[in-house]
Amino acid sequence: MNHMNRLAALFILSALPIMPQTLELLPMFTALPPEKPACEVWIEGEDFTSQEGGSIAADANCYGGKRWELFRTEGGASVSYTFTVTGGNYLIAVAGQETGVSYTSPVTASLNGRSKILGTCPNGQGWDASKATRWNFISLTDLAAGEHTLTFRVSEKRAMDTRFAYRIDAIALVKDPFANIVIAPKIETGRPANVFTTATPIVFRNVSPGKARMFAYRVTDFFGTEKAHGTWKADADLPLPDLALGYYRLLLSDEKGALPFIPFARVVDPASRIADPESPYCIDTAQSWCSRPSNHPLFPRNSYEITSDLVRLSGVSMVRDRYSFNQLNPSPDEYRWDNAYLTNARMLSERGVPVVSVFHDAPKWTKGPLTSLPHDLFALYRFAKASAHEYGSMIKAWEFWNEADINFCFDGAWEFAAAQKAAYLGFKAGDPNTTVLIGSSAEVPLPRYYHTIFENGVADHFDVFNYHIYRRVHEFEPLVASVTNVLAKYGCSDKPMWITENGLKHEWPGKEDPIVPNNPNREHDAEQERMQAELLAKAMVLMQSLGVERDFFFVFPPYNETGGGKVWGILRFDFTVKPAFAALANLTAVLSRTRYLGRYAAGEGIDAFLYSRADGSQTLVYWTSNDSRSFSIPAQSKKPECIDIMGGRSACGTTLTAGRYPIYCTGVSGLTAVPYNKPDMPQRTKTDKDIVLRFLPGSTFALQSKTMMRIADGGGNAEVEIFNFSGSPKTVMLTNLGTGYAVSGISGSHQIAPMSAKKVPFTVRVNTVDPFSISIGGVSGPRPVAPFSVPIFIDIKNSAALSGRTLPLNDVARWRKNAAGDMNIEYDAGEQAMRFSVKFIPNTDWWVYPEFPLDLSKEGFENAVGVSFEVRAESVSPKGFTTTLFMAVTENIQEKGKSIYFPFPSMTTNWQTVTIHFKAESPGDFDPSQVKLIRIGCNPKQENFSYRVRNLMVYYKK
């Protein structure tokens, strides 16, 4: 180590003081009855000096077969214990009912008259008949030799009911605990997430109190190769060799066994990088939510700062964070800017990292008749304008709403389109230079919801098209192509594509146990970590090759879903680094400030991508999904260099070998590639952006789904609401653009004052049983006005033009179980309905879709217009549902049969009628005559779920 590195090491380690001796550093007892922890004083719970209000209860699961217990509805209790010690520093531990929870009363402990309210016990294994007793460390204190008294008092009822409840099984006092209890060393580096740069030496230090231990150590890299080994006495620093870029594990062991591995990484020094603001390599940090210090017991207090530091070290060109309309604008004219959102925006801005921010909530006062979106478009406009102005250059881009096509929004696509327009105009009014994204789609290919949004004329009210992909990498190409084709269809091929969440569905669930016992959040094992790193790098390159301008990997901080089973983050829950972080930092170091040229023909089974560099040379990125394969490149005037996925460098010739992990061959020249070409763009007429039209339905309309409204047979009344978001008066002429109905009442010119709205009543008369769209546009001066377009079908349940036939759902024998758990099917005679109940498997996707095969000789759907049925749930979690679906399945294959999904509104505990019009809500090529079975079910967010279905009718034209 040179002189400057020694100084740097001293500076870093001076910031790592030895920790003071506190309760938090002591490992919780693992002893369970009858095993006792080693201690100087042991007291059984029933051996009290005095007590009032409690009693002694027998319990074979407790120490000595008994415990002291309080369980009554009137009056509190107290219990005292007198004991003698030899004097010194003592740990006082109580084996008692868990405190700080709803089923235990608040408890105050007093030692020789000094009181302390007991907080929540650390997670640990419980025992006694109800598994509610566990070890709790309540004090670390100096005691003089002699007699002392410990008293516990309960004077309040527990939160869950009207009882006073607490119990004590035993008390243990351990003298000089830091000398007599084996304390695992706490190894720190002073580096965020243990990420070192090429400018910092790699040094570890034990900051725990207690006796120093002698360890054997090994350092292994991403590929499992040993890079260093030796012995270390943990009362001194452990400097490691000058390791290459990459991911590593420090493995420590002694006579007591091996410690958990310590991950660390080495990346390029940010000072040596030249920032590339146009680089496509980005990440979703969601840090205002997911990096919150209180999210996990191991999160550091400065987790926001650490996340921001790590983002800078990763070299990404932009991050995506979260925002809250509801929190920041809780009432009209009230803005609360000073919060975590501003803190993180500032931290990232100070580190030179641009931000795109998204929200998907609205204050209740803005919603009006809507469920999710703001109905008050002027309130939305003002919030967007104020946000863009307040944050200025700290937030470079804004995204209105997140995944409106799934359960983040329950309102119609035409409502979303109107809100998108108002938000766009507001953001641009607050900062004309900001970039505005359309609200992201969760599903690809794009669902009907987004087609309807486009039909509502949003093309001039977003700068970037934005969607999410949660698929395997080999599925990317057709999925991205499908989005590209949709943009071309609606004249938006000029819009860049950003994928603001690219989540990989390859490795699930996490195979490694949670770092904190009894915590639900699992971790990746070593192979899953390698897979995550591999696929992150591949995904970034593939998306760029498909014309995606920015790709945001999901997600940066530790974050799990499905009850803790699905692992997403590229940090572990102890805020240490995973290999994917090193892979990302290496990718950005190699490929930022390059220009993608196209795919390179390297041979069958090899994916290869060519980039040009500012110095005129080229970089070739390549891998294979099969066994390793070799290929040749033209002879080079200079010897190229190969960089592996982690950043390790080696010389290479003109014969290259592709394997599982991406390799970057730099310094090549003279290679040619096939460029990526977007489809031709149809011309689009620009609209008057300041005019927004909105559909206001009358009483004869009902929301069928987020992409469809239902109208009474014959027609009804409605209104066009015309908004003028400009500072000048506007004259608007309305025009009916739809067919299948007649409209009256919209003729003439309409004067709209600046920043105001006007409602224009009109009448609809329906002359078809087929679905249609009420579509009204117009002109404002010389420019057209973007229309609203609302897909409509008549109420088939009450249509005189249709006849219905009942399906015999009540035949239990015809139903097939189909659920992610233990399912039961029965007939409820009282409600004349089928009852379906299921207990789901924890940490998995929860879904229940029982199957009813059709007797095609008499129950076929040929010429069917649609169906109706009644449904209700027995109970509904506040978390609701991911989705509720009627499935028309065209193959008699359980679960996997090809099916068409028809969403319907979330179930409630009341009976509700669901009506589905096939032609209105299905793809154009759907043929009802091909349906062989049906499924009716949902993806509920509760472990035990039951629901009923009855009165299913199939409707045909008379």
Side-chain angles (χ1 to χ4, degrees):
M1 186 184 296
N2 63 35
H3 176 66
M4 289 304 294
N5 280 346
R6 287 183 185 277
L7 290 178
L10 290 172
F11 176 77
I12 292 168
L13 295 178
S14 67
L16 295 174
I18 296 294
M19 287 190 170
Q21 296 182 352
T22 63
L23 285 174
E24 290 75 17
L25 295 175
L26 293 170
M28 185 57 62
F29 293 158
T30 58
L32 303 177
E35 181 187 357
K36 299 177 182 179
C39 59
E40 180 179 293
V41 176
W42 177 265
I43 309 170
E44 293 284 350
E46 62 272 19
D47 293 340
F48 45 78
T49 307
S50 63
Q51 77 90 31
E52 181 179 357
S55 62
I56 297 175
D59 189 333
N61 298 287
C62 290
Y63 289 108
K66 300 176 184 178
R67 64 172 185 260
W68 176 86
E69 180 178 86
L70 166 65
F71 192 68
R72 58 194 297 194
T73 57
E74 298 295 332
S78 66
V79 60
S80 296
Y81 301 88
T82 300
F83 57 88
T84 301
V85 297
T86 58
N89 184 256
Y90 286 86
L91 164 68
I92 303 177
V94 175
Q97 187 167 324
E98 184 177 6
T99 55
V101 293
S102 62
Y103 53 82
T104 305
S105 295
V107 180
T108 301
S110 301
L111 178 62
N112 299 327
R114 299 193 304 274
S115 297
K116 171 182 180 179
I117 298 174
L118 300 188
T120 304
C121 297
N123 288 323
Q125 188 171 353
W127 69 91
D128 77 23
S130 61
K131 305 294 184 184
T133 295
R134 61 197 65 220
W135 285 107
N136 183 18
F137 292 174
I138 67 170
S139 182
L140 189 63
T141 185
D142 292 327
L143 295 176
E147 190 175 85
H148 301 271
T149 300
L150 179 62
T151 300
F152 299 87
R153 289 187 174 83
V154 175
S155 57
E156 297 180 39
K157 297 176 181 178
R158 60 184 181 178
M160 65 181 290
D161 56 26
T162 60
R163 291 186 178 274
F164 297 85
Y166 185 53
R167 62 185 61 163
I168 296 175
D169 187 8
I171 300 169
L173 281 83
V174 181
K175 185 176 181 178
D176 297 330
F178 285 95
N180 294 308
I181 297 177
V182 176
I183 303 171
K186 184 176 177 60
I187 312 300
E188 292 192 357
T189 62
R191 301 292 306 171
N194 294 343
V195 176
F196 299 88
T197 74
T198 48
T200 54
I202 306 172
V203 182
F204 290 82
R205 187 182 189 187
N206 174 29
V207 297
S208 292
K211 294 180 179 178
R213 291 157 62 179
M214 180 66 75
F215 291 97
Y217 75 84
R218 296 174 60 240
V219 176
T220 58
D221 67 7
F222 172 78
F223 303 100
T225 305
E226 183 178 287
K227 293 297 180 180
H229 68 273
T231 58
W232 173 49
K233 188 175 182 182
D235 60 354
D237 297 342
L238 173 59
L240 295 180
D242 190 22
L243 299 171
L245 300 178
Y247 168 84
Y248 300 90
R249 288 184 172 189
L250 173 62
L251 307 169
L252 299 171
S253 61
D254 65 2
E255 72 279 359
K256 300 182 185 299
L259 297 183
F261 69 88
I262 301 170
F264 67 99
R266 202 167 204 198
V267 301
V268 171
D269 179 21
S272 67
R273 290 178 178 266
I274 301 175
D276 181 5
E278 305 305 318
S279 166
Y281 316 120
C282 308
I283 199 157
D284 186 349
T285 64
Q287 62 195 71
S288 292
W289 293 358
C290 294
S291 288
R292 187 181 295 117
S294 60
N295 279 6
H296 190 274
L298 295 181
F299 277 22
R301 293 181 181 178
N302 61 336
S303 52
Y304 288 148
E305 183 178 2
I306 290 176
T307 302
S308 300
D309 285 340
L310 290 169
V311 166
R312 176 172 176 263
L313 291 173
S314 74
V316 295
S317 62
M318 181 176 281
V319 303
R320 183 176 187 245
D321 197 10
R322 301 304 192 272
Y323 205 60
S324 173
F325 188 178
N326 184 46
Q327 290 178 18
L328 299 179
N329 192 190
S331 61
D333 302 319
E334 179 186 7
Y335 294 99
R336 299 176 179 176
W337 301 117
D338 191 9
N339 46 46
Y341 309 115
L342 183 60
T343 296
N344 282 297
R346 281 176 175 163
M347 285 184 176
L348 290 164
S349 179
E350 289 165 357
R351 290 158 177 78
V353 181
V355 179
V356 55
S357 199
V358 60
F359 62 89
H360 57 235
D361 61 345
K364 185 176 181 180
W365 63 269
T366 68
K367 292 182 181 180
L370 300 183
T371 301
S372 308
L373 295 166
H375 191 260
D376 186 341
L377 297 188
F378 285 118
L380 172 59
Y381 172 92
R382 290 191 298 269
F383 174 70
K385 178 180 178 180
S387 296
H389 176 76
E390 182 71 22
Y391 281 80
S393 62
M394 287 187 289
I395 295 182
K396 299 290 187 182
W398 294 93
E399 179 184 347
F400 171 69
W401 222 262
N402 181 63
E403 298 184 341
D405 52 324
I406 59 171
N407 61 336
F408 290 108
C409 178
F410 295 98
D411 301 311
W414 48 94
E415 298 284 3
F416 180 89
Q420 171 73 39
K421 296 170 188 177
Y424 171 89
L425 294 169
F427 286 130
K428 292 293 187 179
D431 180 2
N433 297 317
T434 198
T435 298
V436 180
L437 283 63
I438 198 168
S440 55
S441 169
E443 299 179 11
V444 185
L446 294 177
R448 179 62 203 163
Y449 192 82
Y450 271 80
H451 287 261
T452 305
I453 289 171
F454 275 120
E455 289 161 4
N456 276 266
V458 298
D460 290 331
H461 292 89
F462 69 92
D463 301 316
V464 171
F465 189 75
N466 164 39
Y467 60 105
H468 297 165
I469 284 185
Y470 285 87
R471 297 292 189 90
R472 297 173 181 267
V473 294
H474 66 266
E475 300 175 274
F476 286 178
E477 187 166 359
L479 291 171
V480 174
S482 73
V483 176
T484 303
N485 292 334
V486 171
L487 293 179
K489 174 182 177 180
Y490 292 104
C492 293
S493 291
D494 58 328
K495 306 286 187 179
M497 289 189 297
W498 291 9
I499 296 176
T500 51
E501 289 182 22
N502 186 352
L504 303 173
K505 283 205 168 179
H506 288 256
E507 28 56 87
W508 190 93
K511 294 182 180 180
E512 188 172 291
D513 290 339
I515 298 175
V516 174
N518 297 325
N519 188 284
N521 292 309
R522 302 189 65 78
E523 296 282 356
H524 285 142
D525 69 1
E527 174 53 31
Q528 288 177 318
E529 286 190 346
R530 283 190 287 270
M531 182 183 294
Q532 185 190 42
E534 167 198 353
L535 297 174
L536 179 151
K538 289 180 177 179
M540 290 287 184
V541 172
L542 279 169
M543 287 305 185
Q544 185 179 15
S545 76
L546 297 172
V548 174
E549 186 175 89
R550 291 189 187 273
D551 182 32
F552 294 75
F553 189 80
F554 184 88
V555 64
F556 194 86
Y559 176 68
N560 286 11
E561 290 180 337
T562 62
K566 178 62 178 96
V567 184
W568 289 113
I570 64 173
L571 300 179
R572 291 162 59 85
F573 274 94
D574 59 1
F575 250 69
T576 56
V577 72
K578 291 185 189 179
F581 178 90
L584 177 62
N586 179 53
L587 178 141
T588 61
V590 176
L591 294 184
S592 291
R593 302 188 68 80
T594 63
R595 183 171 63 87
Y596 177 67
L597 298 176
R599 282 183 174 262
Y600 179 75
E604 184 180 355
I606 300 174
D607 289 296
F609 309 84
L610 190 62
Y611 295 78
S612 65
R613 306 189 65 83
D615 63 3
S617 67
Q618 297 171 321
T619 294
L620 184 66
V621 186
Y622 56 92
W623 65 78
T624 178
S625 300
N626 305 308
D627 297 332
S628 62
R629 298 188 179 194
S630 297
F631 65 99
S632 297
I633 59 175
Q636 301 291 306
S637 58
K638 295 182 180 179
K639 199 165 189 179
E641 183 178 46
C642 285
I643 304 173
D644 68 31
I645 185 173
M646 292 287 112
R649 294 173 179 263
S650 60
C652 54
T654 56
T655 299
L656 305 176
T657 300
R660 167 184 173 181
Y661 300 109
I663 294 176
Y664 310 85
C665 182
T666 64
V668 296
S669 60
L671 278 62
T672 58
V674 178
Y676 172 81
N677 294 311
K678 285 186 176 183
D680 293 336
M681 181 186 71
Q683 293 296 314
R684 184 181 76 247
T685 303
K686 301 291 186 180
T687 62
D688 185 335
K689 296 180 184 179
D690 295 327
I691 298 296
V692 175
L693 304 183
R694 180 166 67 183
F695 175 68
L696 299 177
S699 60
T700 58
F701 293 85
L703 185 68
Q704 168 70 10
S705 69
K706 297 196 301 185
T707 59
M708 184 69 56
M709 292 202 80
R710 192 170 66 248
I711 190 172
D713 198 7
N717 298 320
E719 293 177 313
V720 181
E721 190 167 19
I722 310 172
F723 291 84
N724 178 9
F725 285 99
S726 77
S728 304
K730 300 260 185 169
T731 299
V732 177
M733 303 283 289
L734 297 176
T735 305
N736 177 40
L737 304 176
T739 59
Y741 65 97
V743 63
S744 59
I746 63 171
S747 60
S749 61
H750 305 282
Q751 307 298 318
I752 317 296
M755 292 303 296
S756 66
K758 178 182 179 179
K759 297 178 182 178
V760 179
F762 68 98
T763 300
V764 175
R765 291 288 175 260
V766 181
N767 51 37
T768 180
V769 295
D770 291 328
F772 60 94
S773 291
I774 297 176
S775 182
I776 294 178
V779 294
S780 170
R783 286 195 170 185
V785 171
F788 69 72
S789 183
V790 183
I792 303 286
F793 69 88
I794 64 168
D795 187 350
I796 61 175
K797 187 173 175 59
N798 298 304
S799 173
L802 303 174
S803 62
R805 186 169 67 201
T806 303
L807 281 185
L809 297 187
N810 298 346
D811 187 348
V812 176
R814 293 187 59 182
W815 285 94
R816 290 199 304 232
K817 296 179 181 180
N818 188 44
D822 185 13
M823 185 181 182
N824 186 52
I825 301 176
E826 59 187 332
Y827 177 63
D828 182 337
E831 296 203 65
Q832 296 184 321
M834 293 303 301
R835 180 180 184 271
F836 309 103
S837 59
V838 60
K839 179 177 176 58
F840 294 113
I841 301 169
N843 298 327
T844 62
D845 286 331
W846 291 349
W847 54 267
V848 51
Y849 290 95
E851 299 181 331
F852 187 85
L854 300 176
D855 181 346
L856 298 180
S857 65
K858 54 186 176 182
E859 296 170 351
F861 279 19
E862 185 174 4
N863 298 319
V865 174
V867 299
S868 71
F869 56 90
E870 294 177 83
V871 63
R872 82 169 184 88
E874 288 187 10
S875 66
V876 177
S877 163
K879 296 180 180 179
F881 301 84
T882 300
T883 189
T884 48
L885 297 171
F886 174 90
M887 298 185 190
V889 188
T890 58
E891 299 173 289
N892 194 352
I893 301 172
Q894 185 162 5
E895 185 186 346
K896 302 296 184 182
K898 181 180 178 182
S899 60
I900 306 301
Y901 292 178
F902 296 92
F904 60 88
S906 294
M907 298 181 197
T908 70
T909 54
N910 297 319
W911 283 106
Q912 63 190 52
T913 299
V914 174
T915 305
I916 291 170
H917 192 298
F918 289 148
K919 192 172 181 180
E921 301 178 79
S922 66
D925 60 352
F926 173 60
D927 181 358
S929 68
Q930 300 300 310
V931 176
K932 293 181 173 60
L933 66 87
I934 62 171
R935 305 183 188 120
I936 303 174
C938 57
N939 295 63
K941 295 183 178 180
Q942 58 196 81
E943 190 169 349
N944 293 281
F945 183 72
S946 299
Y947 67 105
R948 290 168 168 79
V949 177
R950 69 186 183 190
N951 297 337
L952 192 145
M953 300 282 292
V954 185
Y955 296 90
Y956 304 84
K957 290 182 180 180
K958 289 182 178 178

